Amino acid sequence: MDRLADVSNLRSSQSQTQISHLALDIGGSLIKLVYFCRYDDSCRDDGDELRSQNDSLCSKSDNSQPVLEGRLHFAKFETSKINDCLDFLHSMKLCLDVNSGSHDGTAPPSNKIFIKATGGGAYKFADLFKEKLGVSLDKEDEMECLVTGANFLLKAVHQEAFTYLDGQKEFVQIDPNDLYPYLLVNIGSGVSMIKVDGDGKFERVSGTSLGGGTFWGLGRLLTKCKNFDELLELSHRGNNRIVDMLVGDIYGGTDYAKIGLSSTTIASSFGKAISDSKELEDYEPEDVSRSLLRMISNNIGQISYLNALRFGLKRIFFAGFFIRGHAYTMDTISVAVNFWSKGEAKAMFLRHEGFLGALGAFMSYEKQCLDGLTVHKMQQKFPISASSAGDNIYCSLNSNSDENGSIECTVYGT
Amino acid sequence: MDRLADVSNLRSSQSQTQISHLALDIGGSLIKLVYFCRYDDSCRDDGDELRSQNDSLCSKSDNSQPVLEGRLHFAKFETSKINDCLDFLHSMKLCLDVNSGSHDGTAPPSNKIFIKATGGGAYKFADLFKEKLGVSLDKEDEMECLVTGANFLLKAVHQEAFTYLDGQKEFVQIDPNDLYPYLLVNIGSGVSMIKVDGDGKFERVSGTSLGGGTFWGLGRLLTKCKNFDELLELSHRGNNRIVDMLVGDIYGGTDYAKIGLSSTTIASSFGKAISDSKELEDYEPEDVSRSLLRMISNNIGQISYLNALRFGLKRIFFAGFFIRGHAYTMDTISVAVNFWSKGEAKAMFLRHEGFLGALGAFMSYEKQCLDGLTVHKMQQKFPISASSAGDNIYCSLNSNSDENGSIECTVYGT
């Protein structure tokens, strides 16, 4: 289940829209984009646009207050195929409404265009963006962006958070006034665990190197799958009991009831693969995939719970592009949290799970640009409270995201 | 570094000794044996021995108090090669000094021979032992045996526990009166984490399925190594940075200093293997082995620390046959505990790491046999305190184990 429109669809839909604001989160495996597409007929300010050196990019030249109605869109590319991302940006009719601005607030040379970016790639690929697109990446702190993005989604977007257990998805109504504290677990290539106490108030308390990159990296080596989604899809049909050593395998089919381990509990992930009688090619890729997925999901669930326990946090939100709304992944994480916490802690997931960092970077325009932007909601019944991003940031009450995960909203220049 | 005499050596040494007491720990991957070899000249009681149905096994027929001097020996077999173990036992001049006895204390038929056994295999292979050796396995609880074995080693055996960091091994002097509480982490195929509060006072508080079976299982699939030790040996020469995605790989060579992650921190284990340009055969097995070892050791160290923190335990003892006194494994675990605890908690290791369960089973004879045994130390300056095994259990002050890890001691029949 990939909720993103693919790039070709994006391109055709963009012919009717103007892309005016863009932010990037460049991780170890994936580049995530959040961009605002205005509806042509709702662009109330068609003021002069200063063409950048690069024909496809433009920025506003004055300080008037444009009012733009449109949608926030989301897209992703593999970091290893960053040129596809650059081509995509180059080919888009990208009109940057934000004037350039640097961290120190000094007015930059007027021909400089900044795009907010976070993740390690904002550092690693800064020169490449400059060279290919003539754009400077204005770097935002990765953890800060994740938290800003999560807070925004949890407070402003209807039906964003949900639980998933035994195949049942249940949306959770979040009370913006009773959100904190919570544990945010972002599963990208690696995993960050962040205790969030408020807007801009957070601490990265833990993490693990066993994340999405481990699943995909080990999975590629073991199965010859060609992409992450194919590997994930395989796991649907797999049986981890072929590969994992269960308590029952050690105990001759019986439980180890005294310490609460049933015969089907995994004693040792990949423990059956120690057998001399089978080589890698003798295992079905789907069984390997399922075992791998369960090992990593369960481990993340366990470490997350132990950290939640440490700080007395009852709610754990799992995000990041590892999850991809995948039923078995969410189920495994939920079961792990439920098992280890004996039902005390709850795993929750986010619909826009992969875009927290990019959203956070997007929202940071408001804080720093000379000619910043705000995202107003069309009906102001659902403000995202007094946030670090300012009181004038809202998202539409009608912000049910559509099939592709885009969110309807309005952008105001300040 | 395998501290065990191999089986051929054992056989030749046994020609001069009598094996009188034996206990087994049959795990998912390995069978561990602890047995007492008496010196021929020190066997003060050569009383009648009742030959069992199986010629190679015998048991004592009277209730006199034999005094046996000799050594405790240790051996291991792969569980998948259990027939080798049965052959070994069959071929040994095994003279069981313990009379048979069952849990309920009722006198068993005199032709029944019981051997104390723990681990899941004590259930799974009970029929096989009966059939092949005519021996009944008297099952002891796995966790209880681990704890009994650990307490015995920590209290009675000189230079048993040590720390290992940066290539430096330092023995830790344990004060038997200030041992509890501690966290015992036993890394077999899977991992058990046990909070130990005293003799027989313990709780299995956590565990993880990423253990020795995972290292060996995944390692076999990825490297075609033929045995665990070969895989471990490979890791010496490997470089995990070829396979793992480091913070520096994501950040273009720089640190993410704000949250204390240096450029060489592993962001994602196996994260570089997501690259389309390399297949499994393009990676060196030694690099894969090292990455795998680090992933699993680090993960165990982290989860152990989180559990120690949860219960306020400052000391963590790591045991189990995964470690094998391997420098890089111990170093990784130590660094993980040190890193996550910010120096507050300490990882320690045990010389007889793999034999806790078997030792615990061995010591359980004392509790239950009609004609039990006690292990006296030759110089009684080092009693193992008031233990559940009784005050009359001692181990030699001269119990520095020799090169093969055997321990000098004296066995008394009660």
Side-chain angles (χ1 to χ4, degrees):
Chain A
M1 168 178 156
D2 191 338
R3 306 196 205 92
L4 299 173
D6 72 19
V7 172
S8 58
N9 287 344
L10 288 173
R11 279 184 182 147
S12 67
S13 70
Q14 264 122 236
S15 63
Q16 292 104 47
T17 56
Q18 298 254 334
I19 290 174
S20 55
H21 304 84
L22 165 74
L24 299 165
D25 174 6
I26 312 178
S29 308
L30 292 173
I31 304 174
K32 285 76 66 176
L33 276 69
V34 171
Y35 56 95
F36 178 77
C37 272
R38 62 191 184 195
Y39 306 135
D40 274 351
D41 60 352
S42 67
C43 188
R44 300 181 207 164
D45 174 32
D46 291 317
D48 293 346
E49 286 172 353
L50 181 64
R51 287 265 163 199
S52 73
Q53 290 166 305
N54 186 311
D55 275 355
S56 66
L57 299 174
C58 59
S59 66
K60 285 183 73 281
S61 62
D62 63 9
N63 285 326
S64 66
Q65 294 197 357
V67 177
L68 311 172
E69 283 177 12
R71 297 187 79 87
L72 273 181
H73 289 269
F74 304 90
K76 74 173 199 294
F77 296 86
E78 288 179 35
T79 306
S80 61
K81 295 171 182 161
I82 192 165
N83 283 325
D84 289 355
C85 174
L86 293 166
D87 289 348
F88 171 68
L89 293 175
H90 192 275
S91 69
M92 283 163 62
K93 187 176 169 345
L94 181 63
C95 171
L96 295 181
D97 281 307
V98 282
N99 273 4
S100 49
S102 64
H103 270 263
D104 61 6
T106 57
S110 59
N111 62 347
K112 264 200 177 175
I113 297 180
F114 283 82
I115 292 178
K116 291 289 183 186
T118 190
Y123 297 81
K124 185 174 181 178
F125 298 112
D127 291 346
L128 190 68
F129 273 79
K130 189 76 195 163
E131 183 195 329
K132 298 273 186 178
L133 297 179
V135 161
S136 296
L137 298 183
D138 194 9
K139 300 165 194 72
E140 292 290 324
D141 176 72
E142 190 175 338
M143 296 303 131
E144 203 161 302
C145 285
L146 286 173
V147 170
T148 302
N151 285 345
F152 169 76
L153 288 169
L154 288 169
K155 289 180 178 178
V157 180
H158 187 51
Q159 293 200 327
E160 178 64 29
F162 60 92
T163 58
Y164 193 94
L165 204 55
D166 297 329
Q168 293 297 311
K169 181 176 184 171
E170 262 184 47
F171 284 104
V172 179
Q173 186 63 45
I174 302 288
D175 176 355
N177 299 314
D178 187 26
L179 174 59
Y180 308 112
Y182 67 85
L183 188 71
L184 176 61
V185 179
N186 194 68
I187 316 174
S189 305
V191 184
S192 282
M193 298 175 186
I194 310 167
K195 174 167 146 326
V196 182
D197 291 306
D199 276 316
K201 288 167 66 180
F202 64 88
E203 184 188 358
R204 184 186 190 275
V205 292
S206 199
T208 165
S209 70
L210 282 94
T214 314
F215 175 63
W216 177 214
L218 272 174
R220 256 194 90 254
L221 298 181
L222 292 166
T223 69
K224 314 271 183 206
C225 271
K226 289 298 168 212
N227 65 61
F228 188 105
D229 289 311
E230 188 190 330
L231 180 65
L232 208 53
E233 181 58 33
L234 265 187
S235 73
H236 276 299
R237 307 193 296 273
N239 179 0
N240 73 299
R241 298 181 189 189
I242 309 295
V243 182
D244 292 337
M245 186 186 283
L246 309 186
V247 167
D249 294 322
I250 302 175
Y251 272 76
T254 62
D255 296 346
Y256 185 4
K258 191 171 174 183
I259 55 172
L261 297 179
S262 79
S263 65
T264 56
T265 302
I266 299 174
S268 176
S269 293
F270 284 85
K272 274 210 191 96
I274 68 170
S275 161
D276 281 346
S277 61
K278 283 171 93 174
E279 303 302 322
L280 178 55
E281 40 282 7
D282 299 322
Y283 291 95
E284 298 297 333
E286 40 269 56
D287 298 335
V288 170
S289 169
R290 194 165 177 104
S291 176
L292 199 54
L293 184 58
R294 185 138 170 192
M295 175 180 96
I296 290 169
S297 303
N298 189 57
N299 194 61
I300 292 171
Q302 181 180 10
I303 297 177
S304 300
Y305 157 68
L306 285 167
N307 277 290
L309 185 70
R310 187 178 159 193
F311 298 106
L313 310 172
K314 298 282 183 206
R315 284 184 291 195
I316 312 176
F317 292 101
F318 291 88
F321 245 119
F322 167 69
I323 302 173
R324 303 189 184 201
H326 189 257
Y328 190 63
T329 306
M330 295 191 293
D331 215 62
T332 305
I333 290 175
S334 296
V335 167
V337 169
N338 191 61
F339 174 82
W340 290 108
S341 74
K342 293 173 182 152
E344 285 287 303
K346 214 181 217 178
M348 284 177 279
F349 304 91
L350 301 179
R351 289 189 68 202
H352 295 87
E353 57 188 18
F355 294 97
L356 272 55
L359 267 171
F362 189 91
M363 298 185 75
S364 69
Y365 279 114
E366 195 272 336
K367 286 189 291 179
Q368 291 161 357
C369 282
L370 297 177
D371 228 357
L373 74 88
T374 56
V375 184
H376 279 251
K377 69 173 189 177
M378 289 183 285
Q379 297 171 39
Q380 302 199 357
K381 289 179 191 161
F382 206 4
I384 62 163
S385 88
S387 76
S388 65
D391 284 336
N392 55 349
I393 298 221
Y394 300 94
C395 186
S396 167
L397 184 65
N398 300 319
S399 62
N400 297 322
S401 37
D402 67 9
E403 278 180 358
N404 293 324
S406 70
I407 299 175
E408 190 159 46
C409 57
T410 309
V411 173
Y412 285 76
T414 53
Chain B
M1 168 179 157
D2 191 337
R3 306 196 204 92
L4 299 175
D6 72 19
V7 171
S8 57
N9 287 344
L10 288 172
R11 277 182 182 149
S12 66
S13 72
Q14 265 121 234
S15 62
Q16 291 103 47
T17 57
Q18 296 254 334
I19 291 175
S20 56
H21 303 85
L22 165 74
L24 300 164
D25 175 7
I26 311 178
S29 309
L30 292 173
I31 304 174
K32 283 78 65 176
L33 275 70
V34 171
Y35 56 96
F36 178 77
C37 271
R38 61 190 185 196
Y39 305 135
D40 274 353
D41 60 352
S42 68
C43 190
R44 300 181 206 164
D45 175 32
D46 292 317
D48 292 344
E49 286 171 354
L50 180 63
R51 287 266 162 200
S52 75
Q53 290 167 304
N54 186 310
D55 273 354
S56 65
L57 299 174
C58 58
S59 65
K60 286 183 73 283
S61 62
D62 63 9
N63 284 327
S64 65
Q65 293 197 358
V67 178
L68 311 173
E69 282 176 16
R71 298 187 78 87
L72 273 181
H73 289 269
F74 304 90
K76 73 174 199 296
F77 296 85
E78 287 179 35
T79 306
S80 62
K81 296 170 181 162
I82 192 164
N83 283 326
D84 289 354
C85 175
L86 293 167
D87 289 346
F88 171 68
L89 292 175
H90 192 274
S91 69
M92 283 164 61
K93 186 173 170 350
L94 182 62
C95 171
L96 293 181
D97 280 308
V98 283
N99 274 4
S100 49
S102 64
H103 270 262
D104 60 6
T106 57
S110 59
N111 62 347
K112 261 201 180 175
I113 296 181
F114 283 81
I115 293 179
K116 291 287 182 186
T118 189
Y123 297 82
K124 185 174 180 177
F125 298 112
D127 291 346
L128 190 67
F129 272 80
K130 189 76 195 163
E131 182 195 330
K132 298 271 184 179
L133 297 180
V135 161
S136 296
L137 298 184
D138 194 9
K139 301 166 195 72
E140 291 291 323
D141 177 72
E142 189 175 339
M143 297 302 131
E144 204 161 301
C145 285
L146 286 174
V147 171
T148 301
N151 285 345
F152 169 76
L153 288 170
L154 288 169
K155 289 182 179 176
V157 180
H158 186 51
Q159 294 201 324
E160 177 64 28
F162 60 92
T163 57
Y164 194 93
L165 204 54
D166 297 330
Q168 294 297 312
K169 181 177 184 171
E170 261 183 49
F171 284 105
V172 179
Q173 186 61 48
I174 302 287
D175 176 356
N177 299 315
D178 187 26
L179 173 60
Y180 307 112
Y182 67 86
L183 188 71
L184 175 63
V185 179
N186 195 68
I187 316 174
S189 304
V191 184
S192 282
M193 298 177 186
I194 310 168
K195 176 167 142 332
V196 183
D197 291 307
D199 275 316
K201 287 167 67 180
F202 65 89
E203 184 188 358
R204 185 187 191 273
V205 292
S206 199
T208 164
S209 71
L210 282 93
T214 314
F215 175 64
W216 178 214
L218 272 175
R220 255 195 90 254
L221 298 182
L222 292 166
T223 69
K224 315 271 184 206
C225 270
K226 290 297 168 213
N227 66 61
F228 188 104
D229 290 312
E230 187 189 332
L231 181 65
L232 209 53
E233 181 59 32
L234 265 188
S235 73
H236 276 299
R237 306 193 297 274
N239 179 0
N240 73 297
R241 297 180 188 188
I242 308 296
V243 182
D244 292 337
M245 186 186 282
L246 310 185
V247 168
D249 293 323
I250 302 175
Y251 272 75
T254 61
D255 297 345
Y256 185 4
K258 191 171 173 180
I259 55 172
L261 297 179
S262 79
S263 65
T264 57
T265 302
I266 299 174
S268 175
S269 293
F270 284 85
K272 275 210 189 93
I274 67 170
S275 161
D276 281 346
S277 62
K278 282 170 94 173
E279 302 303 322
L280 178 55
E281 40 282 6
D282 300 321
Y283 290 94
E284 298 297 333
E286 40 269 55
D287 299 335
V288 170
S289 169
R290 194 164 177 103
S291 176
L292 199 54
L293 185 57
R294 186 141 171 190
M295 175 179 96
I296 290 169
S297 302
N298 189 58
N299 194 61
I300 293 170
Q302 180 179 12
I303 296 176
S304 300
Y305 157 68
L306 285 167
N307 277 291
L309 183 71
R310 186 177 159 193
F311 297 107
L313 310 173
K314 298 282 183 206
R315 285 185 290 196
I316 312 176
F317 293 102
F318 291 88
F321 245 119
F322 168 68
I323 302 174
R324 303 188 184 202
H326 189 257
Y328 190 65
T329 306
M330 295 191 294
D331 216 62
T332 305
I333 291 175
S334 296
V335 166
V337 169
N338 191 61
F339 174 82
W340 290 109
S341 74
K342 293 175 181 151
E344 286 285 304
K346 215 182 215 175
M348 283 177 279
F349 304 92
L350 300 179
R351 289 188 68 200
H352 294 88
E353 57 188 19
F355 294 97
L356 272 55
L359 266 171
F362 188 91
M363 298 185 74
S364 69
Y365 279 115
E366 195 274 337
K367 286 189 292 180
Q368 291 161 357
C369 280
L370 296 178
D371 229 358
L373 73 90
T374 56
V375 183
H376 279 251
K377 68 174 186 176
M378 289 183 288
Q379 298 170 38
Q380 301 200 359
K381 291 179 189 161
F382 206 5
I384 62 164
S385 88
S387 77
S388 65
D391 284 337
N392 55 349
I393 298 223
Y394 301 93
C395 186
S396 168
L397 185 65
N398 300 319
S399 62
N400 297 323
S401 37
D402 68 8
E403 276 180 1
N404 293 325
S406 70
I407 299 175
E408 190 159 44
C409 56
T410 309
V411 173
Y412 285 75
T414 54

